[in-house]
């Protein structure tokens, strides 16, 4: 909001800065320090504006400022900009600043070690985690622990929140000096730049951001690696752009801003983020309703209508750009995204309940959450994907409730007067859209996003307060001193903090792989590094698992003690269960080992294959194999994997039984249906008794059931047609089988189906239908030179099997012409010999000898045969 204009004689800011400057002017040229201060005072507003631009845009371009060195740099710049901005006549501490600083201070306190007796009284569940850290090392329990299960991360979060608080005050100062909506315009420019950089990476097909940074996990090649975070940032910029276009005093060309903002909307939608698209749609709906209501109640002059026309054109242009650039892959991405985030929202309350008062420490969610998740084993969840639940889990319910109430009170429309202007209301809507998005995605954990939000909120609360703040009665030095102390403490804590949990996992994993286990010094070094990492991240579940692996390799320590600690931190970790099973099997405790194999398969489908391999390798007893299979639908995959691993004709009955059980547990498991139906078709075809016995009737019924299920589950595949055709052939109904293949394969490009069609047509003996099948097969197989050659060879072999050597010769020649090799020309020569065409055979042998190249022995044999054929030709003539 624009500050009220005061007479020039009235000092702004309580006269403090005016009195200071008057003192400096009276004191004359007192020295270089006073000259520098006067120079800064004159340019404080401009420096604050430039600094805010640098922070907002720079943090976004620098990978969202998620990496610690970048965060430290951004925080240092914000501190300097705040120091300069505080010398402006328009400087006021934003009330949002003190809420953010309070949250930062609490995060810092969470990282401070306290006696274990105090910790046990304040947070028993956190104390329990700290007490068990050194148990695998056979050391006494710790005497001190912190409220945070990741003290380093909590210190970093303290710096983030301190930075957000200072940014809010700087943004309020910039907005107060005007022109109006300067800060939202900066956010728009940043969003446009990020969208442009992302688009350039897409168009160039880049695999690394800026050509050098490759993210650890796959994502969007953009400064924001996560598509959900990027969509949230772009949506914030889009609605800020709409707000700027509604401002009557906008100096920039509206058509240019409209074009850029429409492009931001299109890029946001193309990211295929479900949360981003839903929040964008909700924001557009609320914006449209608000504009209709506002412009229905009040008549606006023509210029404002023109502004609305530009805004409407922007939205329609963005939709048009989206429609033109959208492809089927985008819709598939939207539909393919699972419901794991919804499950995550239901798992997190258990963590909150156990740590309701003080939380697990800001930033410690990743290492504290594993015991509470109900998803796949050996998967980490870094965030709760809901900012309210995230705060409640990490700060505790009381602090979270106070923080939300404080933000709601400070940002209440009655205090910010956002309803007085359409543009201000739209800026507020931008923040609301982002917060709604962050109920299912957590872009707010990216510092650049929160910096942009803090800037916008600071701008919304930039109006002069109705009354002096409560802290105005404190000494002048008190507030700056407290802010500096907090910022310095957080900065030092972050700069000296241990590496993040993921970095330490990666470093220790590499150290584990490179350790020479016969070298006691290297083993001790690894144990020391592991001990340090576990003290830094006591709740982590992977580190004790790695310790167990190291203990087994080095034969020093108790692997099962380490594994017990790993299971305590993540009971569903499939890798830990597999490790325990291997240790128990080595100790001949096979009964217990099989139980852990079953747990591994139950908790993680990706581990079911390894569990099945262990089971088959350890025993071929049917009872032991079945004990590995989990209960319910989860066991279907284990049955399928066991059936794939059991080999040998003596296990055919067991294999068929496993597949039948898999299909019964999960009727939609296509692979089990397919494997069983091929086994049944093979059994039906190998049966010597061709009468329709009860067994053959049952097999036919099962084949029909599986084929129908396969057609329903994978309608684009032709396996169901093929198995039905082979069943009809086995039942001595080849005419029906051929008709089925002709109808089904004609509409498909499946080479397998056309090959089956050719096979059945050859068995029927109808030359016309065989020719038709051959032509269809050649059309399907001729994809590239090698495919064409192989197709011609298969057709030729089919004709040769029926004794049609002349027709086979023609196709062999076609194959050799497409792919001229010694083997292909020798096939031509053999076929020509069968037909009795000596000159064709001689030509084929000559070409074969030429292609033989450096293979002297083979070339000599071919040339000898060529001479023999030429002799026969000469004798004939």
């Amino acid at each position: 909001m624009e500050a009220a204009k005061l007479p020039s004689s009235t000092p702004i800011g309580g006269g403090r800065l005016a009195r200071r400057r008057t003192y400096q002017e009276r004191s004359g040229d007192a020295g270089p320090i006073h000259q520098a201060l006067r120079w800064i005072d004159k340019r404080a507003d401009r420096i604050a504006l430039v600094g805010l631009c640098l922070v907002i845009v720079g943090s976004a371009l620098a990978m969202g400022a998620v990496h610690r060195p970048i965060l430290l740099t951004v925080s240092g710049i914000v501190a300097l900009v705040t120091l300069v901005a505080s010398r402006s006549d328009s400087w006021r501490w934003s009330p949002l600043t003190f809420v953010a600083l309070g949250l930062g201070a609490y995060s810092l306190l969470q990282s401070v070690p306290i006696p274990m007796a105090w910790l046990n009284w304040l947070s028993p569940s956190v104390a329990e985690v700290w007490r068990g850290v050194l148990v695998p090392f056979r050391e006494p329990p710790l005497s001190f622990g912190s409220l945070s299960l990741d003290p380093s991360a909590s210190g970093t979060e303290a710096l983030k929140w301190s930075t957000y608080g200072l940014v809010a005050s700087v943004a309020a100062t910039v907005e107060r000096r005007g022109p109006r909506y300067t800060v939202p315009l900066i956010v728009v420019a940043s969003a446009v730049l990020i969208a442009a950089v992302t688009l350039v990476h897409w168009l160039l097909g880049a695999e690394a951001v800026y050509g050098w940074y490759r993210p650890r996990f796959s994502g969007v090649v953009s400064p924001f690696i996560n598509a959900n975070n990027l969509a949230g940032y772009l949506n914030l910029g889009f609605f800020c752009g709409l707000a700027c276009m509604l401002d009557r005093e906008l100096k920039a060309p509206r058509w240019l801003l409209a074009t850029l903002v429409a492009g931001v909307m299109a890029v946001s939608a193309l990211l295929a983020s479900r949360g981003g698209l839903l929040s964008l749609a909700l924001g557009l709906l609320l914006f449209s309703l608000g504009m209709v209501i506002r412009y229905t109640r009040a008549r606006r002059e023509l210029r404002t209508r023109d502004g609305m026309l530009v805004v409407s054109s922007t939205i329609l242009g963005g939709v048009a750009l989206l429609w033109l650039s959208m492809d089927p892959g985008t819709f598939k991405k939207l539909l393919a995204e699972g419901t794991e985030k919804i499950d995550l929202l239901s798992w997190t309350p258990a963590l909150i309940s156990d740590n309701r008062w003080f939380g697990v420490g800001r930033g410690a969610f990743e290492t504290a959450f594993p015991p509470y998740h109900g998803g796949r084993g050996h998967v980490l969840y870094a965030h709760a994907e809901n900012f309210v639940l995230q705060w409640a889990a990490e700060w505790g319910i009381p602090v979270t409730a106070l923080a939300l109430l404080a933000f709601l009170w400070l940002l209440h429309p009655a205090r910010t007067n956002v309803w007085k202007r359409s543009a201000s209301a739209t800026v507020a809507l931008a923040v609301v859209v982002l917060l709604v998005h962050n109920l299912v995605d957590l872009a707010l954990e990216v510092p650049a996003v929160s910096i942009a939000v803090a800037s916008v909120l600071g701008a919304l609360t930039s109006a002069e307060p109705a009354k002096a703040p409560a802290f105005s009665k404190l000494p002048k030095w008190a507030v700056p001193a407290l802010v500096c102390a907090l910022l310095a403490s957080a900065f030092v804590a972050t700069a000296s903090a241990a590496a993040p949990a993921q970095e330490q996992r990666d470093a220790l994993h590499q150290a584990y792989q490179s350790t020479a286990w016969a070298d006691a010094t290297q083993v001790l070094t690894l144990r020391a590094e592991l001990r340090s990492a576990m003290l830094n991240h006591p709740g982590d579940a992977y580190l004790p698992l790695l310790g167990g692996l190291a203990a087994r390799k080095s034969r020093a320590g108790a692997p099962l003690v380490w594994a017990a600690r790993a299971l305590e931190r993540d009971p569903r970790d499939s890798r830990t269960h597999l490790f325990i099973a291997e240790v128990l099997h080595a100790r001949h405790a096979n009964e217990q080992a099989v139980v852990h194999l079953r747990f591994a398969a139950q908790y993680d489908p990706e581990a079911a294959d390894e569990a099945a391999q262990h089971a088959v390798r350890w025993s071929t007893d049917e009872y032991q194999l079945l004990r590995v299979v989990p209960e319910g639908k989860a066991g279907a995959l284990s049955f399928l994997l066991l059936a794939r691993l059991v080999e040998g004709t003596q296990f055919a009955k067991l294999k068929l039984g496993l597949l039948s059980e898999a299909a019964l547990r999960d009727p939609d498991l296509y692979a089990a249906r397919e494997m069983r139906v091929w086994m049944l078709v093979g059994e039906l075809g190998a049966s010597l008794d061709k009468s329709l016995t009860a067994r053959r009737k049952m097999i036919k019924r099962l084949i029909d059931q599986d084929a129908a299920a396969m057609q329903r589950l994978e309608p684009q595949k032709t396996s169901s047609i093929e198995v039905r055709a082979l069943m009809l052939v086995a039942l001595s109904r080849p005419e029906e089988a051929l008709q089925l293949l002709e109808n089904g394969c004609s509409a498909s490009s499946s080479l397998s189906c056309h090959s089956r069609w050719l096979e059945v047509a050859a068995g029927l003996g109808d030359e016309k239908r065989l020719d038709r099948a051959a032509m269809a097969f050649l059309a399907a197989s001729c994809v590239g030179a090698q495919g064409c050659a192989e197709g011609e060879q298969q057709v030729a072999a089919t004709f040769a099997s029926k004794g049609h050597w002349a027709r086979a010769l023609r196709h062999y020649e076609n194959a050799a012409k497409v792919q001229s090799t010694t083997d292909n020309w020798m096939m031509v020569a053999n076929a020509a010999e069968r037909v009795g065409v000596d000159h064709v055979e001689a030509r084929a042998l000559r070409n074969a000898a030429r292609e033989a190249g450096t293979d002297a022995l083979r070339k000599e044999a071919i040339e000898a045969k060529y001479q023999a054929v030429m002799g026969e030709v000469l004798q004939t003539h």
Side-chain angles (χ1 to χ4, degrees), residues 694-732:
R695 173 66 179 170
R696 289 170 64 83
K697 287 182 178 180
M698 183 193 69
I699 292 175
K700 179 182 179 299
R701 186 176 66 254
L702 289 176
I703 292 175
D704 286 333
Q705 291 176 359
D706 286 344
M710 290 163 61
Q711 178 65 26
R712 174 178 58 84
L713 296 172
E714 299 285 351
Q716 74 279 9
K717 294 186 178 181
T718 58
S719 298
S720 60
I721 299 173
E722 296 176 45
V723 296
R724 281 197 177 105
L726 292 182
M727 179 188 69
L728 292 172
V729 171
L731 295 176
S732 302

Side-chain angles (χ1 to χ4, degrees), residues 272-274 328-341:
S273 166
R274 287 195 297 188
T330 306
F331 291 105
K332 289 181 181 179
K333 284 174 64 178
L334 282 170
L335 297 175
E337 193 173 352
T339 60
E340 198 167 20
K341 288 185 179 180

Side-chain angles (χ1 to χ4, degrees), residues 838-843 845-846 863-877:
D838 293 337
H839 67 282
V840 175
E841 181 183 3
R843 184 176 69 250
L845 290 170
R846 186 173 67 249
E863 288 179 345
K865 188 172 183 179
Y866 171 74
Q867 294 296 334
V869 171
M870 288 302 297
E872 293 178 2
V873 172
L874 292 175
Q875 289 177 3
T876 302
H877 288 287

Side-chain angles (χ1 to χ4, degrees), residues 96-108:
L96 294 173
T97 298
F98 295 101
V99 177
L101 291 176
L103 294 173
Y106 179 66
S107 300
L108 192 62

Side-chain angles (χ1 to χ4, degrees), residues 280-343:
L280 177 63
L282 176 63
L284 288 174
L285 177 62
L286 294 176
F287 175 80
S288 302
L289 290 176
M291 291 298 101
V292 168
I293 294 172
R294 188 172 185 87
Y295 284 89
T296 300
R297 291 179 176 177
R299 296 292 180 183
R300 300 292 179 177
E301 61 269 21
L302 182 61
R303 185 178 177 186
T304 306
R305 290 200 192 99
D306 291 342
M308 281 303 301
L309 180 61
V310 172
V311 171
S312 303
S313 301
T314 300
I315 297 174
L316 293 176
V319 173
L321 286 173
L322 171 64
W323 182 259
L324 291 174
S325 54
M326 188 81 77
D327 60 5
T330 306
F331 291 105
K332 289 181 181 179
K333 284 174 64 178
L334 282 170
L335 297 175
E337 193 173 352
T339 60
E340 198 167 20
K341 288 185 179 180
I342 299 176
D343 296 331

